[in-house]
Amino acid sequence: MNILITGGSGFLGARLARTLLQMGELSLNGGAPESIRRVTLADRVAPPADLLADARVHAVEGDLAEQVAQGALQLADTQLVVHLAAAVSGECEADFDLGMRSNLDTTRQLLDACRRAGHAPVFVFSSSVAVFGDSPEQPLPSVIEDTSLPTPQNSYGIQKFIGEQLVADYTRKGFVQGRNVRLMTVSVRPGRPNGAASSFLSGMLREPLAGERARCPVAPDTAVALSSPGNTVRGIVRAATASAREWGARTAVNLPALTTTVREMAEALERVAGTEATSLIDWEPDAQVARIITSWPSRFRPARAEGLGLRADESFEAILREYVRENPQAVKLPVKG
Amino acid sequence: MNILITGGSGFLGARLARTLLQMGELSLNGGAPESIRRVTLADRVAPPADLLADARVHAVEGDLAEQVAQGALQLADTQLVVHLAAAVSGECEADFDLGMRSNLDTTRQLLDACRRAGHAPVFVFSSSVAVFGDSPEQPLPSVIEDTSLPTPQNSYGIQKFIGEQLVADYTRKGFVQGRNVRLMTVSVRPGRPNGAASSFLSGMLREPLAGERARCPVAPDTAVALSSPGNTVRGIVRAATASAREWGARTAVNLPALTTTVREMAEALERVAGTEATSLIDWEPDAQVARIITSWPSRFRPARAEGLGLRADESFEAILREYVRENPQAVKLPVKG
């Protein structure tokens, strides 16, 4: 089996690639397990060294739209496409045309290339919790169901929701076997801040653990729905392995999320690394970031995901301790317990 | 005030133009009434002669995408755009690329042209009941609310739903003042059959009244949601006149619909023109048409439309008698009552 991961050098793409390479084989679309022969990582930048060192990894660097146009992605013998590449929410709000190009046009071009390949590959589309947005004219329901109407309040959410519609129709037409999954906010991400409005939801833990100051731009009581990197990758893999029958409707599946607050996250940080860590958090509100974050829902009833055997993380402290375990080089403060 | 109607030579576009020209003035977006100086009708074909004879009518013939690209639509001094032009459902199912180009790309190009114009015109987007589709994996609710999740089961519905998302985000960004309205199936349309799966819902009345045979491709008990031409135009005009506050959310408003069955429609025809008319109906099922039609919902609770003062037609017989009154030249059989 050959696999393509777009955004494959990013944090989530690289983690997914490592997970798949370690599994060695995959049961695609409810079928028999097949060994994974090639994992193509398409991204603007090269993948991490550990991935490049694996003989099964094929790296394709550059602009995804150009790679598609040039036929550089070897789709003809690719059985699974995981489309993670996207401009993030903050970027899309700052540069409307960039978001439309990166998130709408490129997704459509990739779907068209899969269609031309002619063998209907499994196509996992990473949509986002950002399709849900609260507004005075149309308040969100207090708990989001799989059938709740998305009313995106930013361009990123609109573009992701349009991507879901495209994947659904290309699936109905038999061009791909689409699996729309809505990822929750991933925390704790290792590495550096990015342009996502949700970036601080990792930074306010990661930076203090590294002995650096971090800003929290929202009020402590702000409720958020989070998923650990490991749990997020489990959801993506499950989307690829599920049969069409298990998966059900072509609309998107909301992945499970842990509902917590920014205050509880800080309290978990204090239990893990003491006030030495939490004193490094600067509580400085930023109205624009807060508007985006508080427009996202924080409570879900993810019936379809649970039917597929997926569960939310147990607690934020568990997520945080997993981060500390997996990223010892990034933790400079002494850890308790 | 200057107005652009795309698809302006079509049945609905021409009727809307006549209504607006007769009104003479319009209160746009909750503002003061202004006299209508120019109505531009953009379409592949020329408008009907009565419209061409009106000095306020400006006809632009050709491909809409080309007209947009050539700047032929005078958007710089246009205050209201009503975007009706679209490839219809049957065409989109038969030719996927045509549908994507006509309904998705052209809508986006028109929105971008409005954005470049810089003054945020009111933009009424005619979406469709076809955004709702029933499927075994995701049955429709028995009654559709304004907040029901669209799950389109054909490409036309997907493209219309994507159009709604684009209009919503271009509105949020201040590029246009969008009004997404979902039109119900319009019956009785005068003229000839078109490529829409719903075409027979006019043809099975119109052709017998003209003394011609007509085919009904669905079972008599098939329930449908209909709106007369006059009531549909009332809904479109109300969308243009409503203030942003009256309109509310940027998601689409379902226009009111009369719930009836194909059998009741035939019974109304018998009351209006006797068995001489109904004996001209050939009840010959067509599985493909029936699959599309029965996947559309037939019952609505159109709370937002009702809040705007809009109502469904009173009965199908009333719709039919209105057709007979408005189209005497097309009725060859003697009419009762």
Side-chain angles (χ1 to χ4, degrees), chain B residues 10-330:
Chain B
F11 152 64
L12 211 56
R15 180 158 186 142
L16 173 63
R18 286 187 195 104
T19 301
L20 292 169
L21 291 165
Q22 205 170 348
M23 289 167 69
E25 58 176 31
L26 193 66
S27 303
L28 208 56
N29 187 25
E34 284 182 43
S35 66
I36 296 172
R37 296 182 178 278
R38 188 182 73 216
V39 177
T40 300
L41 303 176
D43 209 313
R44 294 183 177 283
V45 297
D50 65 306
L51 285 171
L52 276 178
D54 191 306
R56 293 167 293 177
V57 168
H58 177 65
V60 185
E61 277 177 65
D63 178 77
L64 183 58
E66 285 171 23
Q67 291 164 353
V68 172
Q70 291 160 5
L73 300 176
Q74 299 180 273
L75 289 167
D77 66 349
T78 294
Q79 287 78 42
L80 168 63
V81 175
V82 182
H83 181 36
L84 300 176
V88 296
S89 54
E91 289 174 323
C92 295
E93 221 42 35
D95 185 341
F96 182 77
D97 295 299
L98 168 77
M100 293 291 277
R101 207 165 50 240
S102 302
N103 296 351
L104 199 165
D105 294 332
T106 305
T107 297
R108 183 166 161 201
Q109 285 153 12
L110 185 60
L111 284 166
D112 277 330
C114 289
R115 172 188 175 197
R116 282 194 302 274
H119 61 287
V122 174
F123 190 102
V124 177
F125 177 62
S126 68
S127 185
S128 166
V129 61
V131 302
F132 295 106
D134 193 53
S135 71
E137 304 81 26
Q138 198 155 39
L140 280 178
S142 55
V143 178
I144 301 287
E145 312 270 355
D146 288 313
T147 54
S148 295
L149 175 70
T151 51
Q153 302 297 317
N154 56 64
S155 296
Y156 176 79
I158 288 276
Q159 291 149 12
K160 285 292 186 184
F161 192 44
I162 290 175
E164 292 180 12
Q165 303 306 316
L166 292 175
V167 170
D169 208 41
Y170 279 65
T171 298
R172 189 186 61 84
K173 296 291 281 187
F175 301 152
V176 296
Q177 301 178 70
R179 302 287 185 264
N180 281 316
V181 280
R182 293 193 188 123
L183 272 50
M184 300 294 118
T185 298
V186 179
S187 175
V188 181
R189 287 175 175 266
R192 304 297 309 161
N194 66 13
S198 57
S199 181
F200 78 93
L201 289 168
S202 291
M204 66 173 278
L205 300 310
R206 182 184 59 217
E207 271 69 283
L209 284 170
E212 297 171 19
R213 301 206 71 81
R215 181 176 176 186
C216 179
V218 304
D221 287 332
T222 305
V224 290
L226 303 179
S227 174
S228 68
N231 211 31
T232 302
V233 165
R234 267 190 291 282
I236 293 170
V237 172
R238 186 68 186 100
T241 61
S243 69
R245 191 192 185 88
E246 287 175 305
W247 192 254
R250 294 184 295 269
T251 52
V253 166
N254 297 322
L255 289 184
L258 171 72
T259 300
T260 183
T261 66
V262 169
R263 186 197 307 281
E264 287 171 354
M265 294 166 70
E267 287 167 357
L269 179 64
E270 187 167 322
R271 284 194 297 278
V272 168
T275 53
E276 198 185 344
T278 50
S279 65
L280 292 168
I281 300 176
D282 298 316
W283 297 85
E284 287 174 15
D286 176 318
Q288 196 180 340
V289 172
R291 203 177 54 243
I292 294 179
I293 296 293
T294 59
S295 81
W296 295 347
S298 56
R299 281 173 206 288
F300 289 80
R301 192 174 294 129
R304 287 178 64 191
E306 289 177 1
L308 291 161
L310 298 169
R311 297 289 175 267
D313 291 281
E314 188 192 319
S315 69
F316 191 74
E317 186 172 333
I319 292 177
L320 200 53
R321 294 201 181 272
E322 184 174 289
Y323 170 79
V324 167
R325 230 177 10 255
E326 290 178 351
N327 300 276
Q329 79 297 342

Side-chain angles (χ1 to χ4, degrees), chain A residues 205-223:
Chain A
L205 299 311
R206 183 184 59 218
E207 270 70 283
L209 284 170
E212 297 170 18
R213 301 206 70 83
R215 179 176 177 186
C216 179
V218 303
D221 287 331
T222 305

Side-chain angles (χ1 to χ4, degrees), chain A residues 197 200 215-219 282-294:
Chain A
F200 78 91
R215 179 176 177 186
C216 179
V218 303
D282 297 317
W283 297 84
E284 286 173 15
D286 175 317
Q288 195 179 342
V289 171
R291 202 177 57 240
I292 295 179
I293 296 292
T294 59

Side-chain angles (χ1 to χ4, degrees), chain A residues 3 14-25 36-39 41 50-51 54-57:
Chain A
I3 298 172
R15 179 156 187 144
L16 172 63
R18 284 187 196 105
T19 300
L20 291 169
L21 291 166
Q22 203 170 351
M23 290 167 68
E25 57 176 33
I36 295 170
R37 296 183 178 279
R38 188 182 73 217
V39 177
L41 304 177
D50 65 306
L51 286 171
D54 191 306
R56 294 166 293 177
V57 168

